[in-house]
């Protein structure tokens, strides 16, 4: 399985993805947060589902954009819209995803493989005023992160949602959004065996033009995650429990 999260707040966007790949009894690590270049701008993509679908879609997307650039150099007029905003690139991604489904969907289904590639795409092209974040469905259609829905999760979606729904808003600082992405991953990792370190994180603030990418091991983040576990334990010990006095046998803590 996988865990990928994208967050958009007023100060910028955050992406985090695990690297664990499980095939039967075998485990390995593969990058799921990928950098994508267009016209000198750096974007990020994260996907769940079959890696072969992701790779083929991105190759087709890159080919489409390169062919358009060459066509525009050779002709003053072009029948394709120039891609200078992220939503336009996401449209192209959806087109290529549908192309891959038309080519491979039947063959995948014949071997009991579902065409279920979900994607999160974020970044900022030259025509975008601020960083943008999109969720792309297997059918190629998409939605955008907005103030009242500031995050997307794909893969293992359930375990990290409670802390996000309780603490994350569009006005959350970028620093806290990075911390919440880690805590959502940590909650997921604690509950399942197919999500794990290392993790990749990308951050793009409103003041930056390209995301900063970093990889972290479990040891790198041990201090932060242990602090969170200790904080939760201390909070439980100090929780007001007068309401439960009828359940507590005299002499027991």
């Amino acid at each position: 399985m996988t865990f990928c999260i994208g967050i958009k707040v007023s100060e910028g966007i955050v992406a985090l993805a695990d690297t664990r790949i499980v095939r039967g009894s075998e485990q390995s690590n593969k990058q799921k947060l990928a950098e994508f270049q267009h016209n000198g701008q750096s974007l990020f993509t994260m996907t769940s589902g079959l890696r072969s679908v992701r790779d083929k879609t991105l190759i087709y997307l890159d080919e489409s954009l390169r062919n358009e650039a060459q066509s525009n150099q050779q002709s003053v007029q072009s029948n394709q819209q120039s891609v200078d905003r992220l939503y336009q690139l996401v449209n192209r991604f959806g087109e290529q995803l549908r192309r891959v489904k038309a080519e491979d969907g039947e063959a995948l289904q014949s071997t009991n493989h579902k065409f279920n590639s979900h994607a999160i795409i974020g970044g900022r092209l030259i025509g975008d005023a601020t960083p943008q974040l999109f969720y792309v469905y297997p059918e190629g259609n998409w939605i955008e992160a907005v103030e009242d829905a500031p995050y997307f999760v794909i893969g293992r979606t359930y375990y990290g949602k409670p802390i996000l729904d309780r603490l994350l808003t569009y006005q959350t600082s970028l620093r806290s959004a990075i911390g919440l992405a880690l805590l959502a991953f940590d909650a997921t990792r604690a509950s399942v065996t197919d999500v794990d370190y290392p993790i990749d994180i990308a951050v793009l603030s409103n003041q930056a033009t390209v995301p900063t990418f970093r990889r972290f091991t479990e040891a790198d983040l041990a201090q932060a995650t242990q602090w969170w576990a200790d904080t939760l334990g201390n909070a439980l010990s100090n929780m007001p429990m007068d309401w439960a006095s009828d359940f507590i046998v005299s002499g027991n803590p």
Side-chain angles (χ1 to χ4, degrees), residues 15-59:
L16 182 151
D18 85 312
T19 57
R20 172 62 58 87
I21 299 291
V22 178
R23 295 185 182 91
S25 60
E26 297 181 359
Q27 295 180 351
S28 61
N29 296 102
K30 298 290 184 182
Q31 184 179 24
K32 302 172 187 177
L33 173 59
E35 186 175 7
F36 187 87
Q37 297 285 334
H38 174 62
N39 282 347
Q41 301 295 308
S42 177
L43 319 168
F44 63 76
T45 65
M46 299 182 288
T47 59
S48 64
L50 295 172
R51 186 180 179 89
S52 61
V53 171
R54 190 280 299 268
D55 289 353
K56 191 172 184 180
T57 301
L58 288 177
I59 288 175

Side-chain angles (χ1 to χ4, degrees), residues 168-200:
L168 178 67
T169 72
Y170 186 72
Q171 300 305 323
T172 299
S173 70
L174 189 60
R175 178 182 184 276
S176 294
I178 297 169
L180 283 171
L182 172 61
L183 295 181
F185 160 77
D186 185 64
T188 304
R189 176 180 175 266
S191 299
V192 301
T193 59
D194 54 6
V195 169
D196 209 345
Y197 289 98
I199 59 173
D200 294 315

